[in-house]
Amino acid sequence: MSEELQQELEQALTINEQFEALIAEADKLAIAEFLNDQNISDVANLVYAYEEYEAQIIASLSIHRAASVFKILDLAEQKRIITELPPFKTAELLNELSADDRTDFLEELPSSVVRELIKLLNPEERKTTLSLLGYPENSVGRLMTPDYVWVYEHNTVAESIELIRRFGKDSETIDVIYVIDEDGNLVDDIKIRDIILSSPDKKINELIDGRVIVLHADDDQEVASDVFKMNNRVALPVVSKTEKLLGIVTIDDILWVATEEYSEDMQKIGGTEALDEPYLDTSVWNLFRKRVGWLVILFLGEMLTASVMQYFEEEIAKAVVLALFIPLIISSGGNTGSQASTLIIQALATGDVAITDWWRVFKREILSGLMLGTVLGVVGYFRILVWHAIFPNVYGDHYHLVGLTVGITLLGIVLWGTLSGSMLPLALKKLGADPAVSSAPFVATLVDVTGLVIYFSVAYLFLQGILL
């Protein structure tokens, strides 16, 4: 077979088909050459597609590419691969991983497993890893890497370029170079472009502008995400309380944090605790445990609805027609409250709204609630009029008062729902709690209970002495 024909046949086959053919031949050298020629993302897809070969795939790659693939895999795959790899290969892989990626993986494992894996690290990497693991969970310290390039203020551009050549290959990024003083304190950061384009004999202290933006090791990871978003940086320095440079955080780590935080918020908004792993990798028991707590709380909250209805039992008995609209009333309030809550939680997460904006939000939601409530109230009122015209005996002789009661109640409960849904996340944020816990189901339950009070209060106003 000619070489050209062979290339055409290989191109015609998908990556999966080529991999399957090589596995069938059991040629380890050919498998290694094939995998090392593929894109990192394609190799990761092979790991997901062929679970029975995932450890073999990682072991066949060059150690640098193996680490690049490993760090983008889901935690479930990472755990299985680590347990299946031979100890020497596990040691190579863990030592090759960047400090921040290694820490991110280890912090998800049981402490007994972490102790065994840390023994496989070389002394320098072990020291770095233990240092990062010593920072609080979800702090910037867990994300930072000590692999960066730094120069002194007194260095020339030529000296700095030489330092970049010498240490840049081991750095997480060389887009930004960090300037420190003799005590290791951060002075500034400089884009590598500014260094390259400057005269070789120019001093670094002539390039600094003092506009450095820093993170602190104890900062929350969400804080770091906000700082990156507001400043359009690819990397930011992390300093101690005494301003000593400890490491850097890069944008790829922040993107992972943002994705995880978004997933957690979406799960909390849905009325469940955040899952610690992908849905399909979560056991049924853990799914039950994560969901049952909120369901019990919401159920107990909804039981207050029965208590309110019991309180108005005599009124319902006198005017049974009022009971027909209870589902309509409470669902309308719950829906508008859930809408407002979801909008504000999302706005808080993206930084569009801050706690200090509460008064602006309050005013906007009053107007929104009045407009939305008016629309629903008018629709509810005319629906009763139309239904009475078709079925005259359904709502009785005082149908117009019943319609007015329903219409005014909808206006009030929709207004209350929008205000509750918008203010509760801001109040929780002010108290230091996670706004996502004021989830749509929670707000809906709150509005359901209070909505009944509003409904029967309006009914008293319009129907006292007539039906009540």
Side-chain angles (χ1 to χ4, degrees):
M1 182 183 297
S2 68
E3 186 176 343
E4 292 181 0
L5 180 58
Q6 185 176 354
Q7 289 178 350
E8 291 178 2
L9 287 174
E10 288 178 354
Q11 292 174 357
L13 293 172
T14 65
I15 292 176
N16 287 25
E17 290 171 340
Q18 294 178 58
F19 179 71
E20 289 174 3
L22 290 171
I23 287 292
E25 295 175 4
D27 187 338
K28 293 184 178 180
L29 181 59
I31 292 173
E33 290 178 353
F34 168 76
L35 291 173
N36 282 307
D37 285 339
Q38 307 305 315
N39 293 325
I40 296 299
S41 58
D42 291 331
V43 178
N45 288 332
L46 286 174
V47 171
Y48 292 127
Y50 300 95
E51 183 178 319
E52 65 273 26
Y53 297 111
E54 56 189 7
Q56 182 180 345
I57 292 172
I58 295 298
S60 299
L61 292 165
S62 65
I63 193 60
H64 177 71
R65 288 175 59 81
S68 298
V69 173
F70 184 83
K71 73 177 184 179
I72 65 173
L73 295 175
D74 291 336
L75 180 62
E77 279 71 24
Q78 290 179 334
K79 287 180 178 178
R80 286 198 302 268
I81 289 169
I82 284 294
T83 58
E84 293 171 9
L85 286 176
F88 80 92
K89 200 67 180 180
T90 300
E92 282 187 353
L93 180 60
L94 290 176
N95 280 294
E96 182 64 24
L97 284 171
S98 62
D100 52 337
D101 291 324
R102 182 170 55 242
T103 303
D104 187 48
F105 169 61
L106 292 177
E107 69 180 355
E108 300 293 340
L109 303 178
S111 56
S112 58
V113 177
V114 172
R115 283 196 295 270
E116 294 303 315
L117 292 178
I118 284 180
K119 293 177 183 177
L120 300 176
L121 300 175
N122 62 47
E124 183 179 349
E125 297 296 343
R126 185 184 305 136
K127 180 181 178 181
T128 300
T129 301
L130 290 173
S131 173
L132 296 182
L133 287 172
Y135 289 104
E137 189 175 358
N138 297 322
S139 67
V140 169
R142 290 285 186 99
L143 289 179
M144 72 178 181
T145 174
D147 300 326
Y148 57 91
V149 178
W150 51 267
V151 297
Y152 288 116
E153 293 178 272
H154 57 74
N155 286 138
T156 64
V157 167
E159 291 170 339
S160 300
I161 291 177
E162 181 58 33
L163 288 170
I164 295 170
R165 288 197 183 103
R166 190 185 309 171
F167 301 109
K169 63 180 180 179
D170 297 322
S171 175
E172 183 87 0
T173 177
I174 59 170
D175 292 342
V176 182
I177 308 302
Y178 300 92
V179 184
I180 62 174
D181 60 22
E182 297 294 340
D183 295 323
N185 297 318
L186 178 66
V187 176
D188 204 349
D189 56 1
I190 305 176
K191 294 179 181 178
I192 193 170
R193 178 184 61 187
D194 295 335
I195 294 178
I196 293 174
L197 297 178
S198 297
S199 173
D201 57 351
K202 198 168 189 177
K203 296 278 189 178
I204 289 297
N205 58 17
E206 298 179 57
L207 300 178
I208 62 177
D209 55 18
R211 295 200 298 259
V212 62
I213 300 168
V214 302
L215 298 171
H216 290 87
D218 292 331
D219 286 345
D220 190 271
Q221 293 176 1
E222 286 192 57
V223 173
S225 180
D226 292 337
V227 173
F228 268 89
K229 184 177 67 174
M230 296 301 294
N231 293 281
N232 192 28
R233 296 295 188 101
V234 296
L236 283 175
V238 181
V239 298
S240 66
K241 293 179 181 179
T242 57
E243 299 303 314
K244 281 190 167 46
L245 182 58
L246 301 175
I248 64 171
V249 173
T250 52
I251 188 64
D252 60 321
D253 296 314
I254 293 301
L255 290 175
W256 281 106
V257 169
T259 300
E260 290 177 358
E261 293 294 339
Y262 176 79
S263 297
E264 288 181 6
D265 287 346
M266 290 302 100
Q267 290 163 1
K268 290 178 181 178
I269 287 174
T272 181
E273 292 183 36
L275 302 179
D276 298 324
E277 52 190 345
Y279 173 81
L280 292 178
D281 295 326
T282 304
S283 68
V284 174
W285 168 252
N286 280 334
L287 283 175
F288 164 78
R289 186 170 55 83
K290 295 287 187 179
R291 296 162 69 176
V292 68
W294 266 112
L295 285 177
V296 170
I297 292 172
L298 295 174
F299 177 75
L300 293 174
E302 288 290 359
M303 288 181 68
L304 294 174
T305 304
S307 300
V308 173
M309 292 183 66
Q310 184 180 10
Y311 182 81
F312 291 106
E313 185 177 3
E314 292 183 10
E315 288 72 19
I316 294 174
K318 292 177 183 178
V320 178
V321 67
L322 294 177
L324 300 176
F325 299 100
I326 289 176
L328 167 71
I329 297 297
I330 61 177
S331 65
S332 298
N335 289 340
T336 51
S338 299
Q339 276 188 342
S341 175
T342 301
L343 288 173
I344 297 303
I345 291 171
Q346 188 271 341
L348 284 170
T350 58
D352 293 337
V353 169
I355 299 175
T356 52
D357 297 320
W358 73 270
W359 179 240
R360 292 178 60 193
V361 173
F362 186 82
K363 291 188 293 183
R364 291 169 65 88
E365 289 302 319
I366 284 182
L367 292 175
S368 297
L370 288 173
M371 291 188 291
L372 293 169
T374 300
V375 170
L376 293 185
V378 169
V379 171
Y381 177 74
F382 280 103
R383 188 270 184 193
I384 291 175
L385 295 187
V386 171
W387 208 252
H388 175 77
I390 300 173
F391 304 103
N393 298 322
V394 173
Y395 302 130
D397 296 334
H398 303 287
Y399 66 91
H400 59 288
L401 289 178
V402 173
L404 194 60
T405 298
V406 170
I408 297 298
T409 299
L410 283 170
L411 173 60
I413 197 172
V414 168
L415 176 59
W416 169 243
T418 57
L419 290 177
S420 300
S422 59
M423 291 294 105
L424 189 56
L426 292 171
L428 289 173
K429 183 77 170 179
K430 177 67 174 178
L431 295 172
D434 188 345
V437 302
S438 65
S439 58
F442 182 77
V443 172
T445 301
L446 172 65
V447 178
D448 286 353
V449 176
T450 53
L452 285 176
V453 177
I454 295 172
Y455 180 36
F456 286 107
S457 299
V458 174
Y460 259 118
L461 181 64
F462 287 101
L463 299 175
Q464 188 176 18
I466 299 175
L467 293 179
L468 301 178

